[in-house]
């Protein structure tokens, strides 16, 4: 079954029909709007729908529990434990740091307005249209400290 997926229009996305996300979404494309992410999954902020049934993927799984294995439902519940995204990047993205699963659950419990769900966010990048460059990880702490010292950054602070 074909999914109707949600789109996120973040400022760093490619504009209009130059965006793979806009073209994959197959809806009316505005050439002035950035199309950054296409979401496939059961996330509340951007659920997918089964096109021919006009039903959310979450509701479909709830009504058809055999769509997942009993082990998956027992472990993760009805909502999928991942969010598949297609990105269309026009500008460099900000650095992101995501908590592990245990920390994500705690943060969601303590501050649900900032941590919308209890899932961790492991990420994998697979370029599907053209070239893609990514920076992952950080330099060792000692190397960062040495660099900061050499730049005299601390001396610039009041």
């Amino acid at each position: 079954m074909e999914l109707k997926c949600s789109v996120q229009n973040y400022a760093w996305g490619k504009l209009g029909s130059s965006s793979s996300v806009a073209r994959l979404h197959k809806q009316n494309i505005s050439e002035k709007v950035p199309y950054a992410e296409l979401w496939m999954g059961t996330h509340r902020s951007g659920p997918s729908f089964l096109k021919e049934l006009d039903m959310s993927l979450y509701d479909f799984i709830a009504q058809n529990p055999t769509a997942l294995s009993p082990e998956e439902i027992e472990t993760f519940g009805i909502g999928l434990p991942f969010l598949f995204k297609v990105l269309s990047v026009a500008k460099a993205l900000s650095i992101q740091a995501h908590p592990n699963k245990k920390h994500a659950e705690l943060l969601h419990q303590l501050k649900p307005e900032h941590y919308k769900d209890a899932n961790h966010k492991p990420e994998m990048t697979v370029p599907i249209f053209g070239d893609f460059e990514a920076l992952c990880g950080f330099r060792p702490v000692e190397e960062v400290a040495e660099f900061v010292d050499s730049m005299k950054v601390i001396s610039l602070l009041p």
Side-chain angles (χ1 to χ4, degrees):
M1 285 189 241
E2 186 175 349
L3 291 178
K4 185 170 78 175
C5 302
S6 295
V7 168
Q8 304 302 320
N9 304 103
Y10 304 131
W12 51 261
K14 288 187 177 180
L15 294 176
S17 56
S18 71
S19 170
S20 300
V21 167
R23 293 192 311 273
L24 288 169
H25 193 237
K26 299 179 184 177
Q27 302 294 316
N28 295 332
I29 299 173
S30 170
E31 295 302 325
K32 295 181 180 183
V33 173
Y35 295 86
E37 296 183 353
L38 181 80
W39 287 12
M40 291 172 252
T42 57
H43 197 285
R44 286 184 224 123
S45 297
S48 295
F49 289 82
L50 281 82
K51 205 168 193 176
E52 61 189 59
L53 300 177
D54 196 31
M55 174 188 291
S56 75
L57 182 56
Y58 183 92
D59 289 342
F60 177 80
I61 295 169
Q63 293 176 25
N64 299 278
T66 58
L68 300 177
S69 72
E71 295 83 14
E72 288 170 311
I73 291 176
E74 183 179 327
T75 304
F76 304 113
I78 294 168
L80 298 176
F82 61 86
L83 178 59
F84 184 89
K85 298 179 182 182
V86 175
L87 278 60
S88 190
V89 181
K91 302 173 188 171
L93 303 175
S94 61
I95 293 175
Q96 298 183 4
H98 299 300
N100 63 29
K101 177 69 172 160
K102 186 176 179 182
H103 197 202
E105 289 170 347
L106 176 65
L107 291 170
H108 176 65
Q109 184 179 21
L110 296 174
K111 297 183 177 188
E113 68 280 5
H114 297 294
Y115 298 91
K116 304 292 184 193
D117 62 61
N119 285 312
H120 58 318
K121 295 174 177 45
E123 296 181 351
M124 174 174 51
T125 302
V126 180
I128 55 175
F129 299 114
D131 296 331
F132 185 83
E133 293 182 30
L135 171 67
C136 181
F138 296 93
R139 295 174 184 232
V141 173
E142 298 80 20
E143 203 174 310
V144 172
E146 207 174 288
F147 178 74
V148 169
D149 285 344
S150 74
M151 298 298 292
K152 306 282 188 244
V153 173
I154 303 302
S155 65
L156 298 177
L157 299 175

